Amino acid sequence: MWVWIAVAAIALFVLISIAVRLLGRLSELRRAAMRLQHRQEEAMRLQAGAETLQETVQALQQKAELAQGKIAQIQAGRGR
């Protein structure tokens, strides 16, 4: 009978130690998931900023093309 109690106590001890390790890893996984979520949010913000920057560059390129056209007209008017 004492043998069964000892076996049950050892099994319970092993089960508790495994549960504690598992809970520790779960908290690590939770922190890692939070870091990933923050990085994803940052990536989305950066992507939106890149899209805005691309639109700005395209608008500036169109303005530069218009300016080059006007310069060409002015130079043609002067006879160059």
Side-chain angles (χ1 to χ4, degrees):
M1 172 123 160
W2 289 103
V3 173
W4 291 111
I5 293 174
V7 168
I10 291 172
L12 185 62
F13 177 75
V14 169
L15 183 63
I16 289 172
S17 66
I18 290 172
V20 167
R21 288 182 189 171
L22 179 63
L23 290 175
R25 289 186 180 178
L26 285 177
S27 66
E28 290 176 19
L29 286 174
R30 188 176 302 118
R31 286 193 299 268
M34 292 298 288
R35 284 193 303 265
L36 284 174
Q37 185 177 6
H38 289 301
R39 286 184 182 172
Q40 182 182 17
E41 291 170 357
E42 182 180 355
M44 291 175 72
R45 285 192 303 268
L46 288 173
Q47 184 177 7
E51 290 172 359
T52 303
L53 183 60
Q54 185 177 7
E55 291 171 1
T56 303
V57 167
Q58 287 175 347
L60 287 174
Q61 187 176 11
Q62 289 174 351
K63 288 180 181 180
E65 290 171 358
L66 288 174
Q68 283 180 339
K70 288 181 181 181
I71 289 172
Q73 287 176 350
I74 292 171
Q75 288 178 346
R78 287 186 179 175
R80 290 187 180 173

